[in-house]
PDB file of all heavy atoms in Angstrom:
ATOM      1  N   GLY U  28     -54.491   6.926  -5.538  1.00 46.00           N
ATOM      2  CA  GLY U  28     -53.768   6.178  -6.522  1.00 46.00           C
ATOM      3  C   GLY U  28     -53.467   4.745  -6.010  1.00 46.00           C
ATOM      4  O   GLY U  28     -53.619   4.459  -4.858  1.00 46.00           O
ATOM      5  N   THR U  61     -40.674  26.135 -21.823  1.00 95.00           N
ATOM      6  CA  THR U  61     -39.341  25.976 -22.249  1.00 95.00           C
ATOM      7  C   THR U  61     -38.772  24.668 -21.788  1.00 95.00           C
ATOM      8  O   THR U  61     -38.739  24.429 -20.545  1.00 95.00           O
ATOM      9  CB  THR U  61     -38.469  27.158 -21.669  1.00 95.00           C
ATOM     10  OG1 THR U  61     -38.965  28.448 -22.070  1.00 95.00           O
ATOM     11  CG2 THR U  61     -37.020  27.075 -22.249  1.00 95.00           C
ATOM     12  N   LYS U 124     -45.736  35.664 -11.518  1.00 79.00           N
ATOM     13  CA  LYS U 124     -45.091  35.171 -10.330  1.00 79.00           C
ATOM     14  C   LYS U 124     -45.367  33.673 -10.073  1.00 79.00           C
ATOM     15  O   LYS U 124     -44.717  33.027  -9.207  1.00 79.00           O
ATOM     16  CB  LYS U 124     -45.495  35.907  -9.048  1.00 79.00           C
ATOM     17  CG  LYS U 124     -45.141  37.384  -9.021  1.00 79.00           C
ATOM     18  CD  LYS U 124     -45.541  38.069  -7.729  1.00 79.00           C
ATOM     19  CE  LYS U 124     -45.097  39.507  -7.710  1.00 79.00           C
ATOM     20  NZ  LYS U 124     -45.487  40.154  -6.419  1.00 79.00           N
ATOM     21  N   ALA U 165     -18.387  37.655   1.008  1.00 68.00           N
ATOM     22  CA  ALA U 165     -18.469  39.121   1.020  1.00 68.00           C
ATOM     23  C   ALA U 165     -18.733  39.646   2.386  1.00 68.00           C
ATOM     24  O   ALA U 165     -18.559  40.811   2.661  1.00 68.00           O
ATOM     25  CB  ALA U 165     -19.530  39.584   0.085  1.00 68.00           C
ATOM     26  N   ASP U 181     -48.603  18.332   1.678  1.00 89.00           N
ATOM     27  CA  ASP U 181     -49.800  19.004   1.139  1.00 89.00           C
ATOM     28  C   ASP U 181     -50.697  17.945   0.539  1.00 89.00           C
ATOM     29  O   ASP U 181     -50.245  17.208  -0.385  1.00 89.00           O
ATOM     30  CB  ASP U 181     -49.415  20.043   0.034  1.00 89.00           C
ATOM     31  CG  ASP U 181     -48.534  21.119   0.589  1.00 89.00           C
ATOM     32  OD1 ASP U 181     -48.795  21.638   1.676  1.00 89.00           O
ATOM     33  OD2 ASP U 181     -47.551  21.519  -0.128  1.00 89.00           O
ATOM     34  N   ALA U 220     -43.162  12.736 -12.473  1.00 92.00           N
ATOM     35  CA  ALA U 220     -43.226  14.164 -13.026  1.00 92.00           C
ATOM     36  C   ALA U 220     -43.199  15.027 -11.814  1.00 92.00           C
ATOM     37  O   ALA U 220     -44.172  14.920 -10.980  1.00 92.00           O
ATOM     38  CB  ALA U 220     -44.458  14.273 -13.849  1.00 92.00           C
ATOM     39  N   GLU U 230     -44.818  35.941   0.864  1.00 85.00           N
ATOM     40  CA  GLU U 230     -45.625  35.339  -0.230  1.00 85.00           C
ATOM     41  C   GLU U 230     -45.369  33.890  -0.244  1.00 85.00           C
ATOM     42  O   GLU U 230     -44.253  33.386  -0.536  1.00 85.00           O
ATOM     43  CB  GLU U 230     -45.207  36.001  -1.596  1.00 85.00           C
ATOM     44  CG  GLU U 230     -45.943  35.448  -2.757  1.00 85.00           C
ATOM     45  CD  GLU U 230     -45.522  36.136  -4.063  1.00 85.00           C
ATOM     46  OE1 GLU U 230     -45.111  37.311  -3.973  1.00 85.00           O
ATOM     47  OE2 GLU U 230     -45.575  35.472  -5.107  1.00 85.00           O
ATOM     48  N   ALA U 249     -50.083   8.880 -22.458  1.00 96.00           N
ATOM     49  CA  ALA U 249     -50.307   8.581 -23.834  1.00 96.00           C
ATOM     50  C   ALA U 249     -49.033   8.099 -24.507  1.00 96.00           C
ATOM     51  O   ALA U 249     -49.066   7.188 -25.304  1.00 96.00           O
ATOM     52  CB  ALA U 249     -50.753   9.905 -24.574  1.00 96.00           C
TER      53      ALA U 249
END
Side-chain angles (χ1 to χ4, degrees):
T61 303
K124 294 183 178 180
D181 299 318
E230 181 178 331

